[in-house]
Amino acid sequence: MADDGSSGQMQAERDVSEAREKFRQALLLSQKTRNGIGDLEAAAAHFCQALRGQGLSPERMLIDAKQVIEEAIDGDDRPLAERAVLSCIQHYYRE
């Protein structure tokens, strides 16, 4: 049986994975509809705070966030990508 530490770690990893997918979906929706910026902000906040909760450095969080952004919108929407990056940075440092 797993101890509390490993089960907590597994849950944190699932939370990050779920937050990553919500962030990706919000990026796709924002790109497609030009709406949903509030959803994008909320998803970016959740994803980046989850990474922070995992103990990732700001640099590592930014690398992971940019990877999700690149996979979702493939460089096709620079203003949206810049907004998502800025949002991630802001939310990483927010308490």
Side-chain angles (χ1 to χ4, degrees):
M1 185 170 148
D3 65 16
D4 290 335
S6 64
S7 64
Q9 178 67 23
M10 289 173 54
Q11 181 61 45
E13 289 172 6
R14 282 191 298 270
D15 291 347
V16 168
S17 180
E18 182 179 301
R20 173 186 287 271
E21 181 57 24
K22 287 181 179 178
F23 183 39
R24 189 181 77 76
Q25 291 294 327
L27 282 160
L28 291 170
L29 179 65
S30 293
Q31 182 184 33
K32 182 178 180 179
T33 66
R34 289 297 182 214
N35 294 322
I37 294 299
D39 291 339
L40 175 59
E41 292 281 333
H46 187 69
F47 177 62
C48 296
Q49 289 172 346
L51 293 177
R52 179 181 174 192
Q54 286 279 89
L56 270 67
S57 69
E59 296 84 4
R60 183 72 238 177
M61 173 278 301
L62 195 53
I63 290 167
D64 288 1
K66 285 182 173 182
Q67 182 179 11
V68 173
I69 294 164
E70 180 63 26
E71 289 170 0
I73 61 175
D74 194 27
D76 292 336
D77 192 336
R78 187 178 186 114
L80 181 62
E82 289 174 356
R83 183 174 184 131
V85 167
L86 179 60
S87 181
C88 283
I89 293 167
Q90 290 171 333
H91 289 293
Y92 180 89
Y93 288 106
R94 206 168 272 165
E95 293 298 321

